[in-house]
Amino acid sequence: EVQLVESGGDLVKPGGSLRLSCAASGFTFSNAWMNWVRQAPGKGLEWVGRINTKTGGGTTDYAAPVKGRFTISRDDSKNTLYLQMNSLKTEDTAVYYCMSVLWGWGQGTLVTVSS
Amino acid sequence: EIVLTQSPGTLSLSPGERATLSCRASQSVNNNFLAWYQQKPGQAPRLLIYAASSRATGIPDRFSGSGSGTDFTLTISRLEPEDFAVYYCQQYGSSPLTFGQGTKVEIK
């Protein structure tokens, strides 16, 4: 059974940092492009960024609102995806999902940025 | 950036009726890499269709996807009570990946 389990969501002050994790199982994680997607309260889905496979170069790309502040990485030995979020803003408040188009979505983790 | 426009914003239908949801792209979607997701309140989205017309594992055959280029459609042949939800399209053929704004299918 495919599982994606996010963790690390929390309440953080503007300007702060947070690292989210996503533990994957049930598929060959190292072969999968992985994405982070977020959903602000009551709003639609917003793509945050993605990371290629290591054999594909491990390259990343990001949505404009988070570029330069967020970093996606992966540890294939641990089947885990990460999202390092720096210089957080109130508008980053959302449920953050890790997802693979073919393998599905995690249940999400809530990040609240507020003073 | 490819902008995806979904229509209608809300679809009011009765169980047993046919639902037709549209997703129009501002430019051609590479390789027709267009997915459809269903989301219910408090839940993560669920993949229904990928590559425009391939049904995901475990998805009932009342869900079908069609289209290519810039115009895509999700059809639910006969609505079941559990199908009332919000549906999103997503293109994953080019970066940045983008989502449509969603179509809510509600009970009439």
Side-chain angles (χ1 to χ4, degrees):
Chain A
E1 180 196 4
V2 171
Q3 280 201 310
L4 294 165
V5 180
E6 301 93 338
S7 60
D10 205 347
L11 170 63
V12 61
K13 288 182 167 46
S17 296
L18 204 59
R19 188 176 85 154
L20 306 183
S21 300
C22 171
S25 60
F27 64 102
T28 306
F29 178 75
S30 59
N31 289 348
W33 286 70
M34 295 299 300
N35 299 267
W36 286 98
V37 173
R38 67 184 180 184
Q39 187 168 36
K43 302 296 185 184
L45 300 169
E46 180 186 22
W47 178 73
V48 170
R50 67 178 176 181
I51 186 165
N52 196 349
T53 62
K54 283 288 193 293
T55 54
T59 54
T60 54
D61 53 329
Y62 301 92
V66 308
K67 197 167 186 178
R69 300 189 297 124
F70 289 12
T71 302
I72 297 173
S73 60
R74 64 191 302 159
D75 185 340
D76 291 344
S77 68
K78 295 181 179 179
N79 286 349
T80 301
L81 177 72
Y82 301 100
L83 178 64
Q84 176 67 44
M85 303 186 292
N86 298 331
S87 304
L88 282 161
K89 306 175 181 180
T90 55
E91 53 264 40
D92 295 320
T93 294
V95 174
Y96 284 74
Y97 298 100
C98 67
M99 61 84 69
S100 162
V101 173
L102 292 184
W103 297 109
W105 297 61
Q107 84 290 348
T109 188
L110 177 61
V111 173
T112 303
V113 184
S114 174
S115 54
Chain B
E1 171 176 327
I2 296 178
V3 176
L4 298 179
T5 302
Q6 292 187 240
S7 61
T10 302
L11 202 49
S12 298
L13 295 168
S14 300
E17 290 194 290
R18 181 184 187 89
T20 303
L21 287 67
S22 173
C23 177
R24 181 160 291 176
S26 60
Q27 55 190 281
S28 187
V29 175
N30 288 343
N31 301 307
N32 293 322
F33 281 171
L34 192 287
W36 289 94
Y37 301 95
Q38 176 194 69
Q39 189 178 34
K40 297 179 181 178
Q43 296 184 17
R46 177 174 73 141
L47 176 68
L48 301 174
I49 301 288
Y50 64 95
S53 59
S54 297
R55 202 176 299 115
T57 303
I59 301 303
D61 60 8
R62 64 180 181 272
F63 291 93
S64 63
S66 62
S68 64
T70 61
D71 286 302
F72 300 89
T73 301
L74 175 70
T75 301
I76 311 172
S77 59
R78 283 201 323 275
L79 282 164
E80 297 287 340
E82 61 268 27
D83 299 337
F84 292 92
V86 178
Y87 293 82
Y88 294 95
C89 58
Q90 180 204 29
Q91 69 80 22
Y92 55 100
S94 59
S95 185
L97 281 63
T98 48
F99 289 92
Q101 82 280 15
T103 290
K104 182 179 182 180
V105 179
E106 65 176 23
I107 300 176
K108 188 174 182 180

